Amino acid sequence: LPDTPQGKLAKSALEKFKTGDADGPTPPELAALEFLIRLVRPAPLFRNGTPEDFAVPEFTTAFPDWSSFQKLTRRWAYAVGRIDRVGGDPAGTGFLVAPTLLVTNNHVLDAVSFGVRKLAKGQATVRFQWEFECPPTEQPVDILRVVRAHDTLDACMLEIAPVDMTGRKPFVLATSLPEVFTEIVAVGYPFDDALRNPLFIPEIFGNKFGVKRGAPGYVTGIEPKSSSIYHDCSTLGGNSGSPLVAMTTGIVVGLHKGGGFLWRNESVDCSALREFIAQVN
């Protein structure tokens, strides 16, 4: 913890939790601790289909299921791809739910289609093997067309050209909503977003952007009426379209769509997403 007034408040909160102080941390102490937790929550890089270990030992304690999660990722790591405009300009993240069906956000589709929500071959591609210091063995895959864009949810389905599915399985969606405090991971391609998030970018992301990362966190709230799941994973703009994956099972509980810095992130919940995919199929 930093040697600042806020760091001292956070340290006091931790000490009270450890000693079982009867009154517990004060509201300012709790606020300082929560602020710093969100400020430095990690987003490890993927290499060869597996996210790295935590660089700070405390996160291993905070996320005890991380090592188990690392063993789950190889089967679907290359089912998460970076969606690019013509020329390789990145627009967001998408993930496979069938061998040629890619799910992402409507606003990612808007970015590559300039708002018309229609695509033809040659307008956009997806890169499934884009990892830091790991040269890809396959070329970018063409996005062929828009299968459907949801009328109200920030979700759409895109058809892609056939790709070798050896060692790559589409994601499975959860059949029920997760509980609050479920451990999750946002898997995607965060881009530099310094204007909105100037404080924690150097600490978490350094200068490595647009490559695959897994950001652990927790489900912080559920709003069935709006088909929303809230979470606190460390995400940036390029994470739009990322699958929210349950850390213990590797199944998708939500589709990340955006959020507010040091407040909360929002995603389309798995139930609404499953219904949408079933209607398309």
Side-chain angles (χ1 to χ4, degrees), residues 46 48-51 65-80 167-172 183-185 187 245-252:
F46 268 72
N48 298 311
T50 303
D65 294 312
W66 184 253
S67 60
S68 298
F69 175 75
Q70 290 172 302
K71 299 174 183 178
L72 298 175
T73 60
R74 283 189 173 273
R75 66 190 185 201
W76 47 250
Y78 298 127
V80 185
R168 173 176 18 220
K169 293 186 177 181
F171 279 91
V172 174
E183 289 181 308
I184 57 171
V185 183
V187 182
V245 184
M247 196 180 296
T248 57
T249 63
I251 62 176
V252 174

Side-chain angles (χ1 to χ4, degrees), residues 247-271:
M247 196 180 296
T248 57
T249 63
I251 62 176
V252 174
V253 300
L255 165 67
H256 176 75
K257 61 182 182 179
F261 180 49
L262 294 179
W263 179 45
R264 71 181 186 192
N265 292 325
E266 298 187 10
S267 65
V268 179
D269 74 40
C270 53
S271 295

Side-chain angles (χ1 to χ4, degrees), residues 171-179 222 229 244-246 249-254 268-275 277-278:
F171 279 91
V172 174
L173 270 66
T175 57
S176 59
L177 297 178
E179 297 181 355
I222 298 173
I229 290 176
L244 290 186
V245 184
T249 63
I251 62 176
V252 174
V253 300
V268 179
D269 74 40
C270 53
S271 295
L273 197 58
R274 281 180 64 90
E275 183 178 348
I277 294 171

Side-chain angles (χ1 to χ4, degrees), residues 76-265:
W76 47 250
Y78 298 127
V80 185
R82 194 183 84 180
I83 297 173
D84 292 351
R85 304 176 185 89
V86 176
D89 184 21
T93 299
F95 61 96
L96 292 175
V97 294
T100 59
L101 291 179
L102 190 75
V103 169
T104 189
N105 298 128
N106 277 336
H107 71 266
V108 174
L109 172 59
D110 287 341
V112 297
S113 69
F114 294 94
V116 301
R117 296 191 178 178
K118 293 183 179 181
L119 290 173
K121 182 179 178 180
Q123 286 185 271
T125 60
V126 57
R127 301 170 182 261
F128 291 109
Q129 292 186 336
W130 207 247
E131 299 175 323
F132 184 66
E133 293 183 339
C134 296
T137 60
E138 66 181 21
Q139 296 298 311
V141 180
D142 285 319
I143 296 175
L144 303 180
R145 68 183 180 99
V146 179
V147 178
R148 184 185 168 193
H150 199 283
D151 294 334
T152 56
L153 300 176
D154 192 359
C156 65
M157 291 187 64
L158 310 176
E159 182 183 356
I160 67 169
V163 63
D164 183 3
M165 294 301 293
T166 303
R168 173 176 18 220
K169 293 186 177 181
F171 279 91
V172 174
L173 270 66
T175 57
S176 59
L177 297 178
E179 297 181 355
V180 175
F181 301 126
T182 295
E183 289 181 308
I184 57 171
V185 183
V187 182
Y189 297 79
F191 310 150
D192 194 359
D193 201 7
L195 290 178
R196 287 193 299 166
N197 304 301
L199 297 177
F200 81 146
I201 282 184
E203 179 71 26
I204 298 175
F205 300 96
N207 61 354
K208 304 176 182 69
F209 300 105
V211 289
K212 189 173 296 176
R213 290 179 180 268
Y218 295 91
V219 172
T220 58
I222 298 173
E223 187 61 59
K225 290 183 179 179
S226 62
S227 301
S228 295
I229 290 176
Y230 306 127
H231 67 94
D232 60 4
C233 303
S234 294
T235 58
L236 297 174
N239 280 107
S240 291
S242 294
L244 290 186
V245 184
M247 196 180 296
T248 57
T249 63
I251 62 176
V252 174
V253 300
L255 165 67
H256 176 75
K257 61 182 182 179
F261 180 49
L262 294 179
W263 179 45
R264 71 181 186 192
N265 292 325

